[in-house]
Amino acid sequence: MERYFFNHRDQAGDLQIDIDGIMLPSLHSAVDEASFAASSALGLSDGPIRGCFEIEDGARKLVARVPYAVKSDEP
């Protein structure tokens, strides 16, 4: 098991740093976790939204990004 950190960059470009992280068995599991969180954010949105989860490993090295976005229905 390795600790992964899920930093979040919002649509304004601001970065929220995950200081705790969570223990997961693999990078694949970490990407699945971020994808679930992104889906949840999209489900709660009332309008256009975008962001990105930036996953770091236990050494705080960036190992993956999981972007997400929903566009407005308006033209």
Side-chain angles (χ1 to χ4, degrees):
M1 298 274 280
E2 183 170 359
R3 184 170 303 278
Y4 290 93
F5 297 89
F6 296 85
N7 304 322
H8 180 258
R9 190 171 302 276
D10 64 21
Q11 56 193 16
D14 296 327
L15 184 65
Q16 292 84 41
I17 302 293
D18 177 2
I19 60 171
D20 298 318
I22 57 173
M23 299 294 287
L24 293 167
S26 67
L27 177 57
H28 181 80
S29 295
V31 170
D32 284 347
E33 189 78 20
S35 296
F36 178 78
S39 294
S40 296
L42 294 173
L44 294 172
S45 173
D46 290 338
I49 186 173
R50 68 177 176 181
C52 182
F53 285 98
E54 299 180 357
I55 304 170
E56 295 178 336
D57 64 12
R60 301 303 304 224
K61 177 183 170 191
L62 181 65
V63 293
R65 286 189 177 97
V66 178
Y68 61 91
V70 168
K71 296 180 182 176
S72 173
D73 292 337
E74 299 176 18

